[in-house]
PDB file of all heavy atoms in Angstrom:
ATOM      1  N   SER A  59     129.703  69.703 123.633  1.00 89.00           N
ATOM      2  CA  SER A  59     130.868  68.857 123.915  1.00 89.00           C
ATOM      3  C   SER A  59     130.480  67.427 124.287  1.00 89.00           C
ATOM      4  O   SER A  59     131.292  66.508 124.170  1.00 89.00           O
ATOM      5  CB  SER A  59     131.706  69.481 125.038  1.00 89.00           C
ATOM      6  OG  SER A  59     130.894  69.798 126.153  1.00 89.00           O
ATOM      7  N   THR A  60     129.230  67.216 124.754  1.00 89.00           N
ATOM      8  CA  THR A  60     128.827  65.863 125.150  1.00 89.00           C
ATOM      9  C   THR A  60     128.116  65.111 124.024  1.00 89.00           C
ATOM     10  O   THR A  60     127.747  63.956 124.185  1.00 89.00           O
ATOM     11  CB  THR A  60     127.875  65.931 126.363  1.00 89.00           C
ATOM     12  OG1 THR A  60     126.751  66.750 126.025  1.00 89.00           O
ATOM     13  CG2 THR A  60     128.592  66.525 127.572  1.00 89.00           C
ATOM     14  N   GLN A  61     127.921  65.759 122.885  1.00 87.00           N
ATOM     15  CA  GLN A  61     127.189  65.125 121.778  1.00 87.00           C
ATOM     16  C   GLN A  61     128.128  64.313 120.889  1.00 87.00           C
ATOM     17  O   GLN A  61     129.350  64.498 120.909  1.00 87.00           O
ATOM     18  CB  GLN A  61     126.460  66.186 120.950  1.00 87.00           C
ATOM     19  CG  GLN A  61     125.368  66.908 121.738  1.00 87.00           C
ATOM     20  CD  GLN A  61     124.538  67.828 120.861  1.00 87.00           C
ATOM     21  OE1 GLN A  61     124.588  67.752 119.639  1.00 87.00           O
ATOM     22  NE2 GLN A  61     123.787  68.729 121.493  1.00 87.00           N
ATOM     23  N   ASP A  62     127.527  63.421 120.087  1.00 89.00           N
ATOM     24  CA  ASP A  62     128.324  62.595 119.175  1.00 89.00           C
ATOM     25  C   ASP A  62     129.023  63.445 118.123  1.00 89.00           C
ATOM     26  O   ASP A  62     130.108  63.106 117.653  1.00 89.00           O
ATOM     27  CB  ASP A  62     127.414  61.559 118.475  1.00 89.00           C
ATOM     28  CG  ASP A  62     126.826  60.571 119.470  1.00 89.00           C
ATOM     29  OD1 ASP A  62     127.436  60.412 120.556  1.00 89.00           O
ATOM     30  OD2 ASP A  62     125.775  59.982 119.182  1.00 89.00           O
ATOM     31  N   ASP A  63     128.381  64.534 117.742  1.00 89.00           N
ATOM     32  CA  ASP A  63     128.966  65.439 116.752  1.00 89.00           C
ATOM     33  C   ASP A  63     129.208  66.795 117.436  1.00 89.00           C
ATOM     34  O   ASP A  63     128.395  67.706 117.350  1.00 89.00           O
ATOM     35  CB  ASP A  63     127.990  65.596 115.566  1.00 89.00           C
ATOM     36  CG  ASP A  63     128.553  66.501 114.485  1.00 89.00           C
ATOM     37  OD1 ASP A  63     129.776  66.731 114.489  1.00 89.00           O
ATOM     38  OD2 ASP A  63     127.775  66.987 113.644  1.00 89.00           O
ATOM     39  N   PRO A  64     130.344  66.930 118.155  1.00 90.00           N
ATOM     40  CA  PRO A  64     130.558  68.136 118.967  1.00 90.00           C
ATOM     41  C   PRO A  64     130.924  69.366 118.131  1.00 90.00           C
ATOM     42  O   PRO A  64     131.269  69.257 116.955  1.00 90.00           O
ATOM     43  CB  PRO A  64     131.720  67.731 119.875  1.00 90.00           C
ATOM     44  CG  PRO A  64     132.485  66.733 119.072  1.00 90.00           C
ATOM     45  CD  PRO A  64     131.464  65.997 118.245  1.00 90.00           C
ATOM     46  N   GLY A  65     130.825  70.528 118.777  1.00 91.00           N
ATOM     47  CA  GLY A  65     131.300  71.760 118.141  1.00 91.00           C
ATOM     48  C   GLY A  65     130.223  72.549 117.425  1.00 91.00           C
ATOM     49  O   GLY A  65     129.036  72.217 117.452  1.00 91.00           O
ATOM     50  N   LEU A  66     130.671  73.623 116.781  1.00 93.00           N
ATOM     51  CA  LEU A  66     129.761  74.512 116.067  1.00 93.00           C
ATOM     52  C   LEU A  66     129.160  73.827 114.850  1.00 93.00           C
ATOM     53  O   LEU A  66     129.821  73.027 114.179  1.00 93.00           O
ATOM     54  CB  LEU A  66     130.510  75.770 115.596  1.00 93.00           C
ATOM     55  CG  LEU A  66     130.916  76.789 116.654  1.00 93.00           C
ATOM     56  CD1 LEU A  66     131.739  77.894 116.020  1.00 93.00           C
ATOM     57  CD2 LEU A  66     129.702  77.378 117.345  1.00 93.00           C
ATOM     58  N   ARG A  67     127.914  74.152 114.541  1.00 94.00           N
ATOM     59  CA  ARG A  67     127.277  73.668 113.315  1.00 94.00           C
ATOM     60  C   ARG A  67     127.657  74.577 112.150  1.00 94.00           C
ATOM     61  O   ARG A  67     128.091  75.724 112.342  1.00 94.00           O
ATOM     62  CB  ARG A  67     125.751  73.669 113.493  1.00 94.00           C
ATOM     63  CG  ARG A  67     125.268  72.733 114.566  1.00 94.00           C
ATOM     64  CD  ARG A  67     125.370  71.272 114.107  1.00 94.00           C
ATOM     65  NE  ARG A  67     124.934  70.351 115.153  1.00 94.00           N
ATOM     66  CZ  ARG A  67     125.748  69.680 115.944  1.00 94.00           C
ATOM     67  NH1 ARG A  67     127.061  69.850 115.830  1.00 94.00           N
ATOM     68  NH2 ARG A  67     125.286  68.839 116.845  1.00 94.00           N
ATOM     69  N   GLU A  68     127.420  74.064 110.959  1.00 95.00           N
ATOM     70  CA  GLU A  68     127.781  74.807 109.744  1.00 95.00           C
ATOM     71  C   GLU A  68     127.073  76.165 109.682  1.00 95.00           C
ATOM     72  O   GLU A  68     127.660  77.178 109.314  1.00 95.00           O
ATOM     73  CB  GLU A  68     127.411  73.972 108.514  1.00 95.00           C
ATOM     74  CG  GLU A  68     127.918  74.557 107.204  1.00 95.00           C
ATOM     75  CD  GLU A  68     127.406  73.775 105.995  1.00 95.00           C
ATOM     76  OE1 GLU A  68     127.163  72.556 106.115  1.00 95.00           O
ATOM     77  OE2 GLU A  68     127.252  74.405 104.928  1.00 95.00           O
ATOM     78  N   TYR A  69     125.785  76.207 110.098  1.00 95.00           N
ATOM     79  CA  TYR A  69     125.037  77.473 110.014  1.00 95.00           C
ATOM     80  C   TYR A  69     125.562  78.513 111.010  1.00 95.00           C
ATOM     81  O   TYR A  69     125.461  79.714 110.785  1.00 95.00           O
ATOM     82  CB  TYR A  69     123.529  77.235 110.200  1.00 95.00           C
ATOM     83  CG  TYR A  69     123.094  76.695 111.538  1.00 95.00           C
ATOM     84  CD1 TYR A  69     122.843  77.547 112.606  1.00 95.00           C
ATOM     85  CD2 TYR A  69     122.917  75.327 111.730  1.00 95.00           C
ATOM     86  CE1 TYR A  69     122.434  77.062 113.838  1.00 95.00           C
ATOM     87  CE2 TYR A  69     122.509  74.828 112.958  1.00 95.00           C
ATOM     88  CZ  TYR A  69     122.267  75.698 114.006  1.00 95.00           C
ATOM     89  OH  TYR A  69     121.873  75.212 115.226  1.00 95.00           O
ATOM     90  N   GLU A  70     126.136  78.042 112.135  1.00 95.00           N
ATOM     91  CA  GLU A  70     126.697  78.978 113.114  1.00 95.00           C
ATOM     92  C   GLU A  70     128.013  79.576 112.613  1.00 95.00           C
ATOM     93  O   GLU A  70     128.276  80.769 112.799  1.00 95.00           O
ATOM     94  CB  GLU A  70     126.901  78.255 114.456  1.00 95.00           C
ATOM     95  CG  GLU A  70     125.580  77.885 115.120  1.00 95.00           C
ATOM     96  CD  GLU A  70     125.715  76.907 116.271  1.00 95.00           C
ATOM     97  OE1 GLU A  70     126.676  76.103 116.274  1.00 95.00           O
ATOM     98  OE2 GLU A  70     124.852  76.905 117.158  1.00 95.00           O
ATOM     99  N   VAL A  71     128.828  78.756 111.977  1.00 95.00           N
ATOM    100  CA  VAL A  71     130.072  79.261 111.365  1.00 95.00           C
ATOM    101  C   VAL A  71     129.729  80.253 110.259  1.00 95.00           C
ATOM    102  O   VAL A  71     130.383  81.289 110.089  1.00 95.00           O
ATOM    103  CB  VAL A  71     130.923  78.085 110.810  1.00 95.00           C
ATOM    104  CG1 VAL A  71     132.159  78.605 110.082  1.00 95.00           C
ATOM    105  CG2 VAL A  71     131.328  77.136 111.939  1.00 95.00           C
ATOM    106  N   ASN A  72     128.651  79.947 109.520  1.00 96.00           N
ATOM    107  CA  ASN A  72     128.192  80.820 108.443  1.00 96.00           C
ATOM    108  C   ASN A  72     127.768  82.186 108.990  1.00 96.00           C
ATOM    109  O   ASN A  72     128.024  83.231 108.379  1.00 96.00           O
ATOM    110  CB  ASN A  72     127.020  80.130 107.718  1.00 96.00           C
ATOM    111  CG  ASN A  72     126.648  80.797 106.412  1.00 96.00           C
ATOM    112  OD1 ASN A  72     126.004  81.835 106.406  1.00 96.00           O
ATOM    113  ND2 ASN A  72     127.058  80.214 105.313  1.00 96.00           N
ATOM    114  N   LEU A  73     127.139  82.188 110.182  1.00 96.00           N
ATOM    115  CA  LEU A  73     126.737  83.439 110.826  1.00 96.00           C
ATOM    116  C   LEU A  73     127.966  84.273 111.204  1.00 96.00           C
ATOM    117  O   LEU A  73     127.987  85.498 111.031  1.00 96.00           O
ATOM    118  CB  LEU A  73     125.895  83.143 112.071  1.00 96.00           C
ATOM    119  CG  LEU A  73     125.488  84.357 112.916  1.00 96.00           C
ATOM    120  CD1 LEU A  73     124.569  85.292 112.127  1.00 96.00           C
ATOM    121  CD2 LEU A  73     124.822  83.931 114.212  1.00 96.00           C
ATOM    122  N   ILE A  74     129.002  83.609 111.716  1.00 96.00           N
ATOM    123  CA  ILE A  74     130.241  84.318 112.077  1.00 96.00           C
ATOM    124  C   ILE A  74     130.851  84.970 110.832  1.00 96.00           C
ATOM    125  O   ILE A  74     131.335  86.102 110.882  1.00 96.00           O
ATOM    126  CB  ILE A  74     131.247  83.350 112.739  1.00 96.00           C
ATOM    127  CG1 ILE A  74     130.695  82.849 114.072  1.00 96.00           C
ATOM    128  CG2 ILE A  74     132.605  84.031 112.943  1.00 96.00           C
ATOM    129  CD1 ILE A  74     131.485  81.716 114.691  1.00 96.00           C
ATOM    130  N   ARG A  75     130.784  84.257 109.702  1.00 95.00           N
ATOM    131  CA  ARG A  75     131.322  84.820 108.444  1.00 95.00           C
ATOM    132  C   ARG A  75     130.549  86.070 108.034  1.00 95.00           C
ATOM    133  O   ARG A  75     131.125  87.047 107.547  1.00 95.00           O
ATOM    134  CB  ARG A  75     131.241  83.776 107.317  1.00 95.00           C
ATOM    135  CG  ARG A  75     132.228  82.637 107.482  1.00 95.00           C
ATOM    136  CD  ARG A  75     132.483  81.939 106.140  1.00 95.00           C
ATOM    137  NE  ARG A  75     133.259  80.734 106.352  1.00 95.00           N
ATOM    138  CZ  ARG A  75     132.744  79.505 106.362  1.00 95.00           C
ATOM    139  NH1 ARG A  75     131.446  79.322 106.170  1.00 95.00           N
ATOM    140  NH2 ARG A  75     133.519  78.455 106.554  1.00 95.00           N
TER     141      ARG A  75
END
Side-chain angles (χ1 to χ4, degrees):
S59 51
T60 57
Q61 295 187 14
D62 295 337
D63 181 17
L66 288 175
R67 297 287 179 260
E68 188 186 331
Y69 64 86
E70 292 167 332
V71 176
N72 192 283
L73 175 64
I74 295 170
R75 289 201 189 102

